[in-house]
């Protein structure tokens, strides 16, 4: 599915969020706080748009994704980045290989959330950190109702105008509505072995940044 949307994936993200996704990504960058020489695993990196800021900060970034189409598009756009085909449930990296692991808008696409969180924990060194940037549950009741009943169901219709695979955005809407809220995801992180778990709501809870320490 993601192979089919790779060429216009980043454009669709900008259009469907009215450009707000760029701010969400900036907040995720601040949360991960990359430092020169650190090893950072960017999971579900897609075309590498989320990885570039870490590279610019001097970190050593591995951009991992399961979709070969996304990786091919990423290598075309950013041949200097290090792309790896990887399954989040079976990461091809040693224990404690990274100082930080991050994933943006990809965790809900993994079949087993808890197992993915545990695998991310495995490849993070003791004291290392994780930042999860993901859709979430709006905190204000009236806006939450609008979001679930109007905004999210409208995503597939919006995608018809620009996407090379509009059907993929039916899945996007379904997975967004089915995703755990902030507290439930935090509980899963703790269950997977992460410590000091906390979250920050963005745009009223449409998106939440979850952080934890290995």
């Amino acid at each position: 599915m993601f192979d089919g949307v790779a060429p216009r994936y980043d454009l669709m993200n900008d259009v469907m969020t009215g450009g707000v996704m760029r701010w969400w990504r900036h907040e995720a960058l601040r949360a991960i706080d990359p430092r020169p020489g650190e090893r950072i695993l960017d999971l579900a990196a897609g075309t590498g748009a989320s990885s570039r800021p870490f590279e610019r900060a001097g970190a050593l970034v591995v951009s991992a994704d399961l979709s070969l189409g996304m990786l091919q598009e990423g290598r075309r756009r950013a041949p200097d980045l290090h792309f790896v085909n990887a399954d989040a449930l079976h990461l091809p990296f040693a224990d404690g290989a990274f100082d930080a692991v991050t994933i943006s808008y990809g965790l809900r696409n993994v079949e087993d959330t808890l197992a993915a969180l545990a695998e991310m924990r495995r490849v993070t060194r003791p004291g290392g950190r994780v930042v999860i940037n993901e859709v979430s549950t709006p905190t204000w009741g009236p806006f939450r109702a609008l979001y679930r009943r109007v905004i999210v169901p409208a995503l597939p219709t919006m995608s018809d105008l620009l996407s090379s695979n509009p059907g993929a955005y039916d899945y996007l809407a379904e997975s967004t509505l089915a995703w755990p809220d902030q507290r439930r995801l935090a509980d899963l992180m703790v269950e997977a072995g992460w410590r000091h778990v906390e979250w920050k709501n963005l745009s009223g809870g449409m998106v939440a940044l979850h952080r934890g320490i290995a």
Side-chain angles (χ1 to χ4, degrees):
M1 181 183 68
F2 284 96
D3 291 350
V5 300
R8 293 187 174 181
Y9 182 72
D10 296 317
L11 173 62
M12 283 299 302
N13 285 339
D14 265 345
V15 170
M16 290 193 300
T17 65
V20 178
M21 178 170 279
R22 298 190 182 196
W23 174 60
W24 294 341
R25 287 196 185 280
H26 177 70
E27 288 296 303
L29 177 66
R30 289 182 57 194
I32 203 73
D33 189 23
R35 298 154 198 168
E38 282 193 322
R39 297 161 298 171
I40 296 179
L41 173 61
D42 187 13
L43 274 176
T47 63
S50 57
S51 302
R52 180 62 76 188
F54 304 133
E55 183 267 340
R56 287 174 179 159
L60 307 174
V61 188
V62 174
S63 305
D65 204 288
L66 185 61
S67 166
L68 290 175
M70 284 288 193
L71 294 174
Q72 289 168 354
E73 183 67 18
R75 287 171 179 149
R76 184 185 70 81
R77 297 184 188 183
D80 58 314
L81 291 179
H82 183 52
F83 289 95
V84 173
N85 182 229
D87 182 346
L89 296 175
H90 305 284
L91 293 172
F93 308 112
D95 295 358
F98 297 95
D99 298 292
V101 177
T102 184
I103 184 169
S104 292
Y105 316 109
L107 187 56
R108 73 184 186 282
N109 300 325
V110 182
E111 185 176 6
D112 188 332
T113 304
L114 179 59
L117 290 168
E119 187 70 346
M120 292 162 67
R121 171 65 183 83
R122 180 186 67 79
V123 301
T124 305
R125 67 166 177 80
R129 56 207 187 277
V130 65
V131 171
I132 299 169
N133 188 10
E134 188 56 271
V135 298
S136 200
T137 303
T139 55
W140 186 46
F143 178 60
R144 181 166 60 247
L146 177 69
Y147 177 73
R148 297 182 68 87
R149 297 174 186 172
V150 178
I151 297 175
V152 173
L155 295 179
T157 301
M158 294 171 59
S159 74
D160 288 345
L161 301 174
L162 292 171
S163 176
S164 54
N165 183 7
Y169 289 86
D170 291 327
Y171 164 77
L172 172 64
E174 292 168 4
S175 65
T176 296
L177 294 175
W179 185 244
D181 65 11
Q182 291 89 326
R183 171 59 65 184
R184 177 57 183 148
L185 180 55
D187 290 344
L188 287 171
M189 291 175 67
V190 171
E191 188 176 349
W194 294 98
R195 301 176 294 115
H196 306 301
V197 173
E198 59 184 1
W199 71 83
K200 176 182 179 180
N201 289 315
L202 303 178
S203 299
M206 285 178 60
V207 165
L209 293 178
H210 282 70
R211 295 180 288 190
I213 303 296

